[in-house]
Amino acid sequence: MVGELQEGIMKLQPVLKVKSAETSELIGVVTKDKEAAGVVQANVEEEAKKVNAATQEAMAVKADAEKDLAEALPAFDSAVKALKSLSKNDITEIKSFAKPPEMVMTVMEAVCILKGSKPNWDESKKLLNDAQFLSSLENYDKDHIPEKSIKALQKYIKNPDFIPEKVEKVSRAARSLCMWVIAMDVYARVAKEVEPKKAKQAAAEKQVAEMQALLAKKTSELNEVLDRVKGLEAKLDATLKERDKLQMESDISTARLGRAEELTGGLASEQVRWDQELKQLTQDKIDLTGNILLAAGVIAYTGPFTSSYRRDLISEWTTACINGSIPADPHFTLERIVGDPPTIRAWNIQGLPADPLSTENGIIVTKGRRWPLMIDPQTQANRWIRAKEKANRVQVIKLTESTYLRTLENCIRVGNPVLLEGVEEALDPALEPVLAKQIFKDGGRYLIRLGDTDVDYNQDFRFYITSKLSNPHYPPEVCVKVTIVNFTVTPKGLEDQLLVQVVAHERPELEEEKNQLVVQIADGQKQLKDIEDKILYMLANSQGVILDDEVLIATLKASKTTSKEINDQIAQASDTKTRIDEACEGYRPVAKRGAVLYFVVADIGSVDPMYQYSLQFFVNLFNSCMDKSAKSEDLEERVGIMIKVITEDVYTNVCRGLFEKDKKMFSFMITSQVMRLEQGTISDDEWGFFLTKGGFIDEDRLPANPADDWIKNEHLGGIVNLEKVKGMAGLLESLEMDTSAWKAWYDCLTPSEEALPGKWESTLSQFQKLLLMRVLRDEKVVDGVTKFILQNLGKHFVDVPPFDLASSFQDSTPLVPIIFVLSTGADPTMYLYNLAKDLGVLERLKMISLGQGQGPIAEALITAARESGDWVCLQNCHLASSWMPELEKLLETHQAIKLNDDFRLWLSSMPSKVFPASVLQAGIKLTNEPPKGLRANIKRTYEDMTEGEFLYFDNKAEEDPEAHKKVRPWKKLLFGLAFFHAVVQERRKYGAIGWNIRYEWNQSDILTAQANLRMYLEEQNEVPYETLCYVVGDVNYGGRVTDYMDQRCVAAILSKYFTAPAVETDDYTFTEDGKYYPPEPKDLASVREYVDQLPMIDSPEVFGLHRNAAIAFENSETKYLMDTIISVQPRSGGSGGGKSADQVVAELALELSDRMPGLLSAEHAAPATFSTDDEGTVNSLGTFLSIEMGKFNKMLKKIRSTLAELQRAIKGLVVMSAELDGMYQALLFQRVPTLWSNVGYLSLKPLGSWFKDLLQRVDFMEKWIVQGPPESFWMSAFFFPQGYMTAALQTFAREKRIAIDTLDFRTEVTRTAPDEVDGKPAQGVYIYGLYVEGGRWDTGKECLAESNFGETHVYMPVIWLDPVVKEGGVMPEAPGAYNCPLYKVSSRAGTLSTTGHSTNYVRNLQLPGGDLPPQHWVRRSVALLSQLDD
C-alpha cells in the first residue's frame, strides 16, 4: 500500500504543475475584464439611482391623489348601492305625490340641478318617468359636473334637514336620492382638488418611462460584459477545482502515506496478538454452529449435574458434533464461548466462587430461558443472588409464609427480583403461571394471571429459587418448568475458598496484594476489551478509505500506547500473582484438610436430621481454629500445627453434638477420608471393598475351600473378591498353606491386636488389615476401626469429648443459639441451671416448655430478652412443630437488629425433621445422653437418691419399732430395683437378643417403682414378692412393653432380684461370678462405695445373656457402623476395579436378570399337590401353596421388570425415577432394593445371599408343585410360615374330623438331618431349616444347652410337629420344657399384630430345657429363626 501511494504522488506532480500555469494566465484575463465591467456597471448603477428617485416622486404624487379620492369614493359607493336598492315601486311612490312633501321636493330639485333640468316638480316628474332614471344616476359622469351646477347645489347641501336620516322619515326612495346628491357634491369637490395632482403624476410617469428606457439599454450593455466575465470566471473556477483536486489528491496520498507508515510501524507490536485473535475469530466463525449448539445444550441440560459429569457430557457432545461434521471447538468451554469476563469478575466480587463449575452455574442461571432452581445446600447461590440483586431491591420469600404470593405479585408489577428460598421437592401449584411464563398482551399491556387476578408484568422481573436439599428428587413435571442448577460446593472449589481464608489469616499482605492484582488484571483486560470494541465499532461504521479516518487512526495510536502499558502491567501483575500463588501453595495442605473435614461433616447430616452444619458455620470454626493454633516462623511446622488443631477442633465441636453411637463413625470417616482424599493411601478399590466386601459372587464359581471346618462360603467369597485388590493377591494360597496360623488368628478374642500370619503383617497397610478383618472377623471391625483411628489420627479421636456446657457457652454469641439434642432419659436442665448460677444469671434465666399455644409466649420472651440480655430456654421444640417456622423467621430477624451482648437462646429438642435446618446449621449442638454401662446407671440412681429416701424405714423405726424389720427388705429390694432398672436398659445394646423392641425406659419408671415398693412394704407385714413382681414387672415397666416375649423376659429378669433369698441371705449373688450382689443394708455412702468398685466393663452374663451375646452386640455395632457409612456415600462410592458405578450396577443387573427363575405354574403339578377331598375341596397344604405361588410370582415379576427398567434407565432410555435411583444405590452397595422387599418376604440378608436364597426358595416350591408334597418342609422357603402351620393343623383336623381350634402341635426334635429323612411321619409334618439363637441343641441329651463360645447360631435337626388335642383348651407343658418362640428373621421385631406378637413371630415350639429352668432360657432370649442374616 505504501509503494502504491508513493507511485501515485510521483505521477501527479507534472500534471499539477501545468494546471497551475494555465490557472495563473486565466486569472490575469479575468481580472482585466472584470475591471472594465466594473466601470460600466458603475455608470448603470448611477442611472438606476436617478430612475429610482423619479419613480419614487411619481409614486408619491399618485399616492396623494388616490388618498384624496379615497375620501369621496366610499360615499359615492354607498349612494350607488342605495340607488340599486330602489325598485320601480319606490319611484312610483314619489311620482304619486300630487304635492310632494317638502323634503321630497327639495331632494328632487337637487337631482334636477345635477341632471341639468329646472328645479321644479314638473321637471322632477319627467325625470322620474324616465325608465332609465336610476341607471342614469348610477352612470352619471361625476368627473365632469359643471361648476354652475355645483354652485346651485350648495343651497340644498347646506340645508340642515338635507341629510339621509331625516329624508328617510318622509320617503325611503328620497333618502337614496339624497345620498346620491350628497355623494356627487363631495366627489365634485374632491375631484377639483385632485386634478392638478393627476396632471403632475402623468408628467412624472412620462419622465420615468424615458429614463427606464435609457437604463434598460445601458443594463443590456452591462449584461454583455458581465456574461463574458462570468464565462471567464467559470473557466477559472473549473481550472482551480481541477488544480485543487489534484493538490488534494496529492495531500491525501501524502497523509495516507504518513498514516500507513504510522500504522505499519507504530502498531507492529499488536500484529502478533491480532493475528492470533484473527485466527481464533476465524476458527470461531467456522465453529459457530457447533459452539452455539454445545452452549445451548450445556445451559439447557447440564445444570443438575456435577462438574465431572458435565465434563464427560461436553466431551461426548463435542465428539458427536465433530463426527457428525458439525464444526465445533474441540476444547469447548461455556465460559469462553458465552461468558463475559468483566461480568464474571463482578459475580466473584458478589460472592460467587471463582471455580469453573460456579462460573458455569452463573452463566446457566443468567442465560437460561426458564427460571433457575438452584440446589444449594451450602447457601452459596443464595448469598450470591442476594448480593447480585441487592441494588434491584430483591425480595426474599418462602413457601411457608402466608403472604408470599402477595409479595410475588407486587414484585411482578414493579419489576423487583424475587428469591424463593428453602423449597422442598414439591412446588406450590400457584407458581405455575410464573414458572411457565404465561405472559399475554392485552391493550398494549403485558399481563400474567395469578390465581383469578390479571397482574401487570414488568419485563425487569426476575425469579430465583433455591433449595437446601443436598440430593432432591424433582419429578419431570417440575424439571420441565425450571432450570435446575447444582450449586453444591465441590471439594476443589471449597479447597480454593479455604485457601483464601488461610492466606488472608496467615499472610494478609499477600492476599491483599493478590486481590489488588486480580482487580488490576481484570480492569486492564476490561480496558483492552473496551478499546478493541471501540476500534471494531469504528471499523464497522467507517466510510470510504480507512486511512482517511483521522479519529480512527488517533484511536489506534492511543490503543497502541494504552495496550502496551496495560500489557506490561498485566504481564508484571501476572508474574507477581504467580509468585504470590506459589507462596500461597505452601498453605494448601491446610485448605485441603479443611475441605476434607467439611465434606465429612456435611455427609453426617444424612445420618440424623439434627446433624446439620452450614458451610458458614464451618468456615467460622475453621478461622477460629487458625486463631488459636500456636504460631511458628517455620512454614512447614506452622502448617502442621494448623492441620492438627483444625482436625481436633472440628472433631471436638461436631462430636459434642453427636450421639454416642455415631461418634466412632465420625472419627473413622475423618480418618479414612483424610487418607483417601488427602494422603492417597487408601485406593478407591480398597474403599469400595470395605463397603461391599467386593460385591455379589456366585457360590458355584468359588474355588475349593482350604478349611471348610471354619471358613464359611461367605468368607471364601470375600477372600476371592479381596484378592482382586492390589496387594492382596496370594491370600487364598496363604490360607491353604498356613491354615493353622490363620485358624489361630481367626479364633483369638482380639484379632485387631494380633499379628497376621506370615508376610501379611508387614506387607499389608493398616487399612488392608481392616479389609481382611471385614472378611474373616466382621464382628470385630469396630475394634479394628478403633485401632485404625488410633494409629493414624491419635488418641484424641478415640476419646469421646466430655459434656462441657461452659466451654460451649464460651463459643456462643447472641446470634448463635445453643441446642440440646435430647435422647430418652437425658435432661440437661440441671446443667443449665448450674451454669446460670455460676455466671450469676440464674434470676434472668427464662424457661418455657413448648407445646400447644406456647409459641406466642415464647416469642414474647425472646423479644424481651434480646433487649434486656436475659437467657431464654425453649424446651421440647419437637412438640411445637407448627411453631418452628415462626421460630426460624424470628431468629432470621436477629441478623438485622442489635442484640444485647448478654442475650442467649437455649433450645432443646428430640431428633426431629421439623426442627428448622437454618437454626440447626447455625447453632451449637450438644448431646447429653444417660450414662452407659451397668455401673454408671446404678451410680446415677443412687446419686439422685436422697439420704431421707434411702433411710425411710430407719427414720420410721424410731417412731414405730415394727418398721425396723422392713429396713433390710427395703434396702435390699431397692438395690435389686436399681440393678433391674440398669439391666433392662443396658440389655438394649444387644439388639434383638436383648429386647425384640427397643423400649425407652427412663428415670420416671424407677421413681414410680420405688414409690410402689415403699408403699407395699409399708402396708404389708410380710414382703409381698409376687405382688411386687407383678406391679413392678408387669405394670410399671411392663406397661411400656408391647411384645409378649419381652413381657415374659421382663418378669423373668425381675424374679431374680425380687426374691426372698436376695433379701434374707447375705451370700445371694445376681451373677455366677459373685461380683454383683445386693450390698449390706447400711448407709447410703457404703452402697455408693460398693457401686464405685463394680466392673467398668459389663459381661453379657450380668444381663442374663450368654457371653456369645457380645458377638451379637459386636455384629450389631459393625452393621450399624457399615450401614451408616454406606448411607452417606455418594453414588460412586461402591465402584471398584476401575469400573464406573454405572458399569458395576448394569453388569450386576444383567447377571441377576440372566439368573432369574421362571414363574411358578400349576400346569405340571403332581396329582397329590392340589388333591381334593370327597367334597371337591383342595387340600389345605395345596391351598397354602397356591397362595405362596401368587406371592412368589408377584415378586418375580417385580424383580424382572425393575431390573429391565433399571438397565434402560442407566442407558438413558427412560427416566431414572426416585424408586429406580434407590434400587441403583441398593445394588451398588449390595443391598436388597426396597422395590423388591416391599413385595417380598422378610429377610435381612445382603443381596448376594438373598438372591441365592430366592433361587433356593423358588426351587423348593417348584419341586413341591411338580413332585408333590415333600417328606419334610423347609420352613425358610415360605412367605407366611404361620399359614403353613395352620394348613398343617387343618390337614390333620380334616383327616380326623376334629375342630382345629382344639388342636395344637407337640414338638419333638429328631436326630435326623434334613437329607436323611426317608418318609413322612404317621401324622403331622416334618420341618427343617431352623436355627437356634441364644443357646444350642444338645443332640446327645436332646435338650437345650448353653452355647459353645463363638457359636451364635446352631442348625437344628428335623423337627416333628405332632398334632395333639389340647386339654381343656390349653396345650399342656412338658416338665422343664421351654416355650421357644420361632421368628422369621433375627430382628424378631415386626408390625405388632392383635395377638400381642409381631408379624415376624411364627409360633412357640416347646423344647426340653434340660437341667436349667425355663426362666433361664427366657433371660437368655433363646429363640428359633427360620433364616440367618448372612
Side-chain angles (χ1 to χ4, degrees):
M1 178 182 283
V2 174
E4 291 176 2
L5 288 170
Q6 289 175 335
E7 184 180 350
I9 291 171
M10 294 297 292
K11 288 180 179 178
L12 278 173
Q13 291 303 320
V15 178
L16 188 60
K17 189 175 181 181
V18 171
K19 286 294 180 183
S20 296
E22 291 177 355
T23 303
S24 298
E25 182 182 347
L26 190 58
I27 287 172
V29 174
V30 171
T31 302
K32 186 177 179 182
D33 284 0
K34 282 181 75 175
E35 288 175 357
V39 174
V40 176
Q41 186 173 4
N43 292 335
V44 170
E45 287 175 354
E46 186 65 30
E47 287 296 326
K49 287 179 181 178
K50 293 178 181 179
V51 171
N52 286 337
T55 303
Q56 291 294 325
E57 186 178 350
M59 290 299 291
V61 172
K62 182 180 179 181
D64 188 38
E66 287 178 350
K67 180 182 177 185
D68 291 343
L69 285 173
E71 181 184 348
L73 285 175
F76 176 75
D77 290 339
S78 298
V80 170
K81 187 177 180 181
L83 289 174
K84 286 182 178 181
S85 66
L86 294 178
S87 63
K88 188 181 289 185
N89 292 334
D90 293 331
I91 300 301
T92 305
E93 177 192 337
I94 297 174
K95 288 191 298 181
S96 64
F97 289 118
K99 186 179 180 181
E102 182 183 352
M103 289 312 298
V104 174
M105 187 64 209
T106 302
V107 170
M108 286 310 299
E109 287 176 359
V111 171
C112 290
I113 291 171
L114 288 174
K115 290 290 288 181
S117 301
K118 291 181 178 180
N120 54 46
W121 181 242
D122 291 336
E123 287 298 320
S124 297
K125 280 186 178 181
K126 289 179 184 178
L127 289 176
L128 291 171
N129 287 330
D130 185 357
Q132 299 299 321
F133 172 69
L134 292 177
S135 177
S136 66
L137 295 183
E138 290 175 17
N139 298 316
Y140 185 75
D141 188 7
K142 58 184 179 297
D143 293 322
H144 298 92
I145 302 174
E147 187 67 26
K148 178 184 174 183
S149 298
I150 293 299
K151 288 180 179 180
L153 191 61
Q154 293 308 307
K155 180 180 77 166
Y156 299 97
I157 294 300
K158 294 177 180 179
N159 187 345
D161 293 327
F162 195 81
I163 55 177
E165 287 77 9
K166 289 187 177 182
V167 174
E168 186 178 15
K169 295 178 181 178
V170 179
S171 170
R172 178 175 172 272
R175 169 187 171 276
S176 298
L177 293 175
C178 176
M179 288 175 63
W180 179 80
V181 171
I182 293 170
M184 290 302 103
D185 176 66
V186 172
Y187 188 84
R189 178 170 45 80
V190 172
K192 185 177 179 181
E193 295 173 358
V194 169
E195 192 60 34
K197 294 180 181 178
K198 284 186 176 180
K200 187 178 179 181
Q201 177 187 351
E205 286 177 351
K206 181 180 179 183
Q207 183 184 0
V208 168
E210 291 172 354
M211 292 175 73
Q212 283 180 338
L214 179 61
L215 179 61
K217 181 181 177 183
K218 289 184 177 182
T219 301
S220 176
E221 293 172 357
L222 176 61
N223 287 339
E224 289 177 5
V225 174
L226 290 176
D227 286 344
R228 186 172 67 254
V229 172
K230 187 176 181 181
L232 289 172
E233 285 180 339
K235 185 177 180 182
L236 175 63
D237 187 52
T239 304
L240 285 171
K241 282 183 179 178
E242 189 173 356
R243 185 195 69 178
D244 292 344
K245 179 182 176 186
L246 292 172
Q247 185 64 49
M248 186 174 67
E249 288 179 5
S250 176
D251 294 343
I252 289 172
S253 297
T254 303
R256 286 177 179 173
L257 180 62
R259 292 171 192 146
E261 288 174 348
E262 286 179 359
L263 283 176
T264 54
L267 299 179
S269 60
E270 296 290 325
Q271 184 173 354
V272 175
R273 184 169 67 87
W274 284 0
D275 282 346
Q276 291 174 347
E277 288 195 9
L278 181 60
K279 280 183 184 177
Q280 185 63 58
L281 289 170
T282 304
Q283 187 60 46
D284 284 349
K285 187 177 179 182
I286 296 169
D287 297 339
L288 183 64
T289 304
N291 286 349
I292 295 303
L293 178 63
L294 288 172
V298 171
I299 291 171
Y301 297 113
T302 66
F305 303 125
T306 61
S307 177
S308 58
Y309 193 72
R310 286 187 194 178
R311 298 286 78 76
D312 293 343
L313 272 180
I314 291 172
S315 175
E316 214 174 290
W317 291 351
T318 305
T319 305
C321 282
I322 294 170
N323 292 342
S325 301
I326 301 174
D329 185 353
H331 306 293
F332 172 90
T333 64
L334 185 66
E335 182 178 350
R336 191 184 77 79
I337 299 301
V338 183
D340 176 46
T343 303
I344 292 171
R345 174 61 190 163
W347 291 347
N348 297 150
I349 293 170
Q350 290 157 353
L352 183 71
D355 59 285
L357 177 70
S358 298
T359 302
E360 275 185 13
N361 287 342
I363 293 171
I364 293 171
V365 166
T366 54
K367 299 289 186 184
R369 295 183 65 184
R370 292 171 293 188
W371 299 128
L373 193 166
M374 292 162 274
I375 301 169
D376 186 32
Q378 290 84 27
T379 68
Q380 289 190 324
N382 190 297
R383 293 197 298 273
W384 170 56
I385 293 297
R386 285 173 183 253
K388 174 177 174 290
E389 297 290 358
K390 184 178 181 181
N392 299 323
R393 299 176 63 192
V394 63
Q395 299 296 309
V396 182
I397 59 175
K398 293 181 179 179
L399 292 179
T400 53
E401 296 174 359
S402 58
T403 60
Y404 86 90
L405 276 176
R406 190 180 310 131
T407 304
L408 180 62
E409 182 181 322
N410 292 336
C411 290
I412 290 174
R413 279 197 176 96
V414 300
N416 287 344
V418 171
L419 171 59
L420 171 60
E421 64 179 12
V423 300
E424 301 292 329
E425 293 184 352
L427 297 179
D428 192 335
L431 296 174
E432 171 75 23
V434 181
L435 297 179
K437 296 188 177 179
Q438 295 173 356
I439 306 163
F440 60 94
K441 201 170 184 181
D442 184 18
R445 296 159 57 204
Y446 287 102
L447 301 171
I448 189 169
R449 177 167 282 271
L450 287 182
D452 56 356
T453 307
D454 289 340
V455 179
D456 285 290
Y457 188 88
N458 190 310
Q459 296 294 334
D460 293 332
F461 171 71
R462 295 289 178 271
F463 192 42
Y464 305 94
I465 309 171
T466 63
S467 171
K468 287 185 179 179
L469 300 177
S470 58
N471 187 25
H473 288 280
Y474 289 108
E477 57 268 23
V478 171
C479 295
V480 298
K481 296 173 190 171
V482 296
T483 298
I484 295 178
V485 189
N486 187 358
F487 266 88
T488 304
V489 67
T490 61
K492 184 67 174 66
L494 180 59
E495 184 182 318
D496 291 339
Q497 291 179 49
L498 292 179
L499 182 59
V500 171
Q501 299 285 335
V502 178
V503 176
H505 184 274
E506 296 295 301
R507 300 284 298 278
E509 74 286 353
L510 282 183
E511 184 60 24
E512 185 178 352
E513 185 178 359
K514 180 181 175 182
N515 290 336
Q516 290 174 350
L517 289 173
V518 169
V519 173
Q520 183 180 336
I521 292 171
D523 290 344
Q525 290 172 339
K526 184 178 185 301
Q527 288 182 47
L528 280 178
K529 182 74 167 56
D530 291 343
I531 290 171
E532 288 179 4
D533 289 346
K534 183 178 180 181
I535 292 171
L536 287 173
Y537 175 80
M538 295 178 73
L539 287 173
N541 293 278
S542 177
Q543 302 294 327
V545 181
I546 188 173
L547 293 173
D548 295 340
D549 193 335
E550 292 186 26
V551 177
L552 176 59
I553 298 301
T555 305
L556 287 171
K557 285 175 68 178
S559 77
K560 182 254 179 184
T561 306
T562 307
S563 62
K564 184 177 184 307
E565 293 173 357
I566 293 172
N567 282 325
D568 290 345
Q569 291 174 0
I570 290 175
Q572 182 182 354
S574 297
D575 290 342
T576 308
K577 182 173 179 293
T578 302
R579 290 197 303 274
I580 292 174
D581 286 344
E582 288 172 357
C584 293
E585 283 301 308
Y587 295 99
R588 185 167 289 278
V590 182
K592 193 174 187 68
R593 174 63 60 90
V596 170
L597 291 173
Y598 170 73
F599 281 99
V600 173
V601 172
D603 285 342
I604 65 170
S606 59
V607 175
D608 190 283
M610 307 302 278
Y611 296 171
Q612 297 191 48
Y613 296 86
S614 68
L615 178 58
Q616 196 62 42
F617 176 89
F618 181 83
V619 170
N620 293 339
L621 177 59
F622 184 81
N623 290 334
S624 68
C625 291
M626 290 190 290
D627 288 334
K628 67 171 68 171
S629 56
K631 307 296 181 187
S632 174
E633 294 299 323
D634 183 72
L635 176 61
E636 188 174 342
E637 183 182 355
R638 171 64 176 157
V639 166
I641 291 171
M642 285 196 292
I643 288 176
K644 182 175 184 295
V645 171
I646 287 167
T647 310
E648 290 179 354
D649 270 33
V650 168
Y651 168 75
T652 302
N653 276 274
V654 174
C655 206
R656 66 188 178 188
L658 305 182
F659 292 119
E660 291 294 327
K661 60 187 176 70
D662 296 318
K663 289 178 179 177
K664 188 164 290 183
M665 176 273 298
F666 180 55
S667 297
F668 176 68
M669 288 296 293
I670 291 176
T671 311
S672 59
Q673 296 305 88
V674 165
M675 295 180 71
R676 280 186 68 206
L677 306 176
E678 185 181 322
Q679 300 171 0
T681 52
I682 298 177
S683 69
D684 288 344
D685 285 352
E686 290 171 347
W687 183 248
F689 184 89
F690 180 74
L691 298 177
T692 64
K693 295 186 184 179
F696 179 80
I697 187 167
D698 188 354
E699 288 190 5
D700 297 335
R701 302 177 191 171
L702 291 176
N705 194 329
D708 56 6
D709 58 329
W710 62 275
I711 295 179
K712 301 177 183 177
N713 279 346
E714 62 171 304
H715 295 153
L716 187 60
I719 292 166
V720 171
N721 284 332
L722 186 56
E723 283 200 316
K724 299 174 186 177
V725 176
K726 185 178 179 181
M728 305 298 291
L731 183 61
L732 188 61
E733 183 183 355
S734 176
L735 280 165
E736 190 173 355
M737 301 294 295
D738 202 2
T739 306
S740 59
W742 280 106
K743 178 69 164 63
W745 180 84
Y746 178 82
D747 288 338
C748 70
L749 289 174
T750 55
S752 60
E753 303 298 329
E754 300 294 328
L756 292 171
K759 65 172 185 176
W760 301 101
E761 178 63 28
S762 58
T763 59
L764 295 187
S765 69
Q766 293 161 350
F767 192 73
Q768 286 173 330
K769 292 176 183 177
L770 206 54
L771 300 184
L772 195 57
M773 194 176 297
R774 181 95 166 90
V775 173
L776 295 176
R777 293 295 301 274
D778 201 24
E779 78 280 3
K780 293 294 183 181
V781 163
V782 174
D783 292 342
V785 161
T786 304
K787 184 177 180 182
F788 177 73
I789 297 168
L790 198 62
Q791 289 172 326
N792 289 283
L793 285 189
K795 190 171 183 296
H796 180 86
F797 296 87
V798 175
D799 295 337
V800 175
F803 180 78
D804 187 355
L805 189 57
S807 173
S808 302
F809 173 75
Q810 294 299 323
D811 294 338
S812 70
T813 70
L815 288 171
V816 178
I818 299 177
I819 304 162
F820 294 113
V821 184
L822 304 176
S823 58
T824 304
D827 185 5
T829 307
M830 190 54 65
Y831 296 99
L832 180 56
Y833 269 121
N834 292 336
L835 177 66
K837 186 177 180 181
D838 293 341
L839 297 177
V841 294
L842 184 58
E843 294 182 356
R844 290 193 289 142
L845 174 60
K846 315 295 182 185
M847 302 187 73
I848 182 173
S849 181
L850 294 182
Q852 188 172 6
Q854 297 300 301
I857 301 173
E859 185 172 349
L861 278 178
I862 293 173
T863 304
R866 66 192 184 191
E867 295 179 4
S868 63
D870 291 345
W871 289 8
V872 175
C873 179
L874 307 183
Q875 297 175 300
N876 301 319
C877 292
H878 58 285
L879 300 179
S881 58
S882 61
W883 188 71
M884 286 298 98
E886 297 301 319
L887 174 64
E888 185 176 19
K889 287 184 201 173
L890 186 62
L891 297 189
E892 281 180 1
T893 63
H894 287 185
Q895 304 293 330
I897 62 176
K898 178 76 173 89
L899 302 178
N900 190 303
D901 291 340
D902 294 333
F903 168 69
R904 289 295 184 276
L905 180 62
W906 307 80
L907 307 170
S908 74
S909 174
M910 295 290 284
S912 171
K913 291 183 178 180
V914 303
F915 199 93
S918 63
V919 180
L920 275 175
Q921 291 176 353
I924 295 172
K925 292 178 280 296
L926 297 171
T927 55
N928 176 34
E929 297 180 77
K932 293 291 189 289
L934 191 75
R935 173 179 171 272
N937 207 305
I938 299 173
K939 185 175 181 180
R940 179 183 180 182
T941 299
Y942 275 92
E943 283 178 347
D944 291 345
M945 194 180 298
T946 64
E947 285 278 353
E949 190 172 7
F950 182 75
L951 300 174
Y952 178 79
F953 284 99
D954 293 81
N955 296 332
K956 200 171 181 63
E958 294 177 3
E959 301 174 1
D960 180 9
E962 289 294 320
H964 182 71
K965 65 179 182 180
K966 298 179 181 179
V967 170
R968 181 182 181 89
W970 165 246
K971 293 180 179 179
K972 288 276 189 177
L973 291 176
L974 188 59
F975 185 84
L977 178 61
F979 201 91
F980 167 75
H981 179 73
V983 166
V984 295
Q985 286 191 303
E986 294 303 315
R987 272 180 71 108
R988 292 181 301 197
K989 70 182 181 182
Y990 294 100
I993 204 168
W995 301 108
N996 289 358
I997 298 171
R998 184 183 176 89
Y999 304 105
E1000 300 297 342
W1001 289 293
N1002 55 42
Q1003 287 301 103
S1004 65
D1005 294 295
I1006 191 171
L1007 293 176
T1008 304
Q1010 283 179 18
N1012 283 325
L1013 174 61
R1014 183 172 60 247
M1015 180 184 71
Y1016 280 102
L1017 287 178
E1018 197 169 12
E1019 292 179 354
Q1020 304 287 331
N1021 292 326
E1022 301 295 330
V1023 179
Y1025 293 107
E1026 187 176 346
T1027 302
L1028 287 173
C1029 284
Y1030 175 76
V1031 171
V1032 174
D1034 292 357
V1035 179
N1036 290 155
Y1037 283 83
R1040 292 185 184 272
V1041 178
T1042 54
D1043 186 281
Y1044 171 72
M1045 295 302 161
D1046 287 338
Q1047 289 175 342
R1048 185 177 70 165
C1049 188
V1050 168
I1053 294 170
L1054 183 60
S1055 67
K1056 196 166 186 178
Y1057 312 126
F1058 276 24
T1059 179
V1063 174
E1064 296 167 1
T1065 62
D1066 290 330
D1067 57 354
Y1068 184 83
T1069 61
F1070 293 152
T1071 56
E1072 292 180 4
D1073 59 12
K1075 293 179 180 178
Y1076 300 91
Y1077 54 86
E1080 291 184 30
K1082 297 180 180 178
D1083 58 4
L1084 184 58
S1086 65
V1087 177
R1088 288 174 176 169
E1089 285 178 18
Y1090 166 71
V1091 172
D1092 282 339
Q1093 57 85 36
L1094 290 176
M1096 294 286 292
I1097 299 174
D1098 309 319
S1099 66
E1101 289 91 342
V1102 179
F1103 309 108
L1105 300 169
H1106 189 270
R1107 61 175 176 156
N1108 278 349
I1111 299 175
F1113 171 60
E1114 290 167 342
N1115 275 326
S1116 66
E1117 273 200 314
T1118 298
K1119 184 176 185 303
Y1120 179 78
L1121 176 70
M1122 297 311 305
D1123 287 349
T1124 308
I1125 293 172
I1126 288 172
S1127 71
V1128 302
Q1129 294 304 303
R1131 177 167 289 184
S1132 59
S1135 62
K1139 295 178 182 178
S1140 69
D1142 282 357
Q1143 288 175 311
V1144 171
V1145 175
E1147 289 177 6
L1148 179 56
L1150 181 61
E1151 182 180 354
L1152 294 179
S1153 296
D1154 292 342
R1155 298 183 61 197
M1156 277 294 294
L1159 299 179
L1160 297 173
S1161 171
E1163 186 177 350
H1164 302 292
T1169 304
F1170 301 107
S1171 61
T1172 58
D1173 58 16
D1174 297 338
E1175 297 176 358
T1177 304
V1178 178
N1179 70 82
S1180 300
L1181 288 176
T1183 302
F1184 167 76
L1185 177 60
S1186 298
I1187 296 170
E1188 290 285 309
M1189 286 171 60
K1191 292 180 178 179
F1192 270 105
N1193 286 341
K1194 180 181 178 182
M1195 179 183 178
L1196 293 172
K1197 287 177 184 176
K1198 188 68 172 180
I1199 295 173
R1200 194 181 297 278
S1201 65
T1202 51
L1203 283 172
E1205 280 294 291
L1206 181 61
Q1207 292 179 75
R1208 295 179 67 205
I1210 292 172
K1211 294 175 182 177
L1213 301 177
V1214 296
V1215 173
M1216 180 70 82
S1217 64
E1219 290 80 8
L1220 289 178
D1221 186 64
M1223 180 178 172
Y1224 180 108
Q1225 294 281 17
L1227 295 186
L1228 185 62
F1229 294 112
Q1230 297 300 304
R1231 304 293 185 84
V1232 179
T1234 306
L1235 282 171
W1236 299 355
S1237 58
N1238 285 343
V1239 295
Y1241 44 79
L1242 194 60
S1243 177
L1244 302 177
K1245 292 179 179 290
L1247 181 63
S1249 302
W1250 183 89
F1251 194 77
K1252 176 189 174 185
D1253 179 60
L1254 170 67
L1255 299 180
Q1256 291 173 343
R1257 289 183 187 227
V1258 173
D1259 182 62
F1260 174 81
M1261 304 301 284
E1262 183 69 34
K1263 287 180 179 177
W1264 183 354
I1265 295 168
V1266 176
Q1267 300 174 9
E1271 293 174 341
S1272 61
F1273 291 87
W1274 183 33
M1275 287 298 290
S1276 307
F1278 306 136
F1279 266 80
F1280 191 57
Q1282 297 96 318
Y1284 168 78
M1285 295 288 189
T1286 303
L1289 266 185
Q1290 194 170 41
T1291 300
F1292 180 79
R1294 287 181 178 178
E1295 182 182 336
K1296 302 296 183 181
R1297 298 191 180 279
I1298 302 173
I1300 190 172
D1301 57 354
T1302 63
L1303 298 175
D1304 204 342
F1305 282 124
R1306 180 183 66 83
T1307 306
E1308 183 178 317
V1309 182
T1310 70
R1311 293 175 176 268
T1312 309
D1315 55 355
E1316 296 173 350
V1317 176
D1318 56 1
K1320 297 179 181 179
Q1323 64 181 29
V1325 291
Y1326 287 140
I1327 61 171
Y1328 67 93
L1330 304 184
Y1331 299 83
V1332 62
E1333 180 182 49
R1336 68 181 176 87
W1337 181 256
D1338 189 327
T1339 308
K1341 295 182 179 179
E1342 294 189 337
C1343 67
L1344 287 173
E1346 294 285 10
S1347 300
N1348 296 323
F1349 178 68
E1351 195 175 52
T1352 55
H1353 299 91
V1354 177
Y1355 194 65
M1356 291 289 289
V1358 173
I1359 297 174
W1360 175 30
L1361 299 181
D1362 178 24
V1364 295
V1365 178
K1366 293 185 285 187
E1367 298 176 4
V1370 179
M1371 183 69 182
E1373 289 189 13
Y1378 166 59
N1379 269 322
C1380 184
L1382 167 60
Y1383 296 100
K1384 297 177 186 176
V1385 294
S1386 65
S1387 63
R1388 304 193 184 188
T1391 305
L1392 192 66
S1393 66
T1394 55
T1395 62
H1397 300 290
S1398 75
T1399 50
N1400 194 358
Y1401 170 81
V1402 180
R1403 65 167 292 124
N1404 281 357
L1405 299 178
Q1406 287 189 8
L1407 299 179
D1411 298 333
L1412 296 169
Q1415 282 192 326
H1416 173 79
W1417 303 116
V1418 171
R1419 287 190 287 269
R1420 284 282 195 260
S1421 285
V1422 173
L1424 293 170
L1425 307 176
S1426 70
Q1427 59 175 302
L1428 302 182
D1429 300 347
D1430 51 18

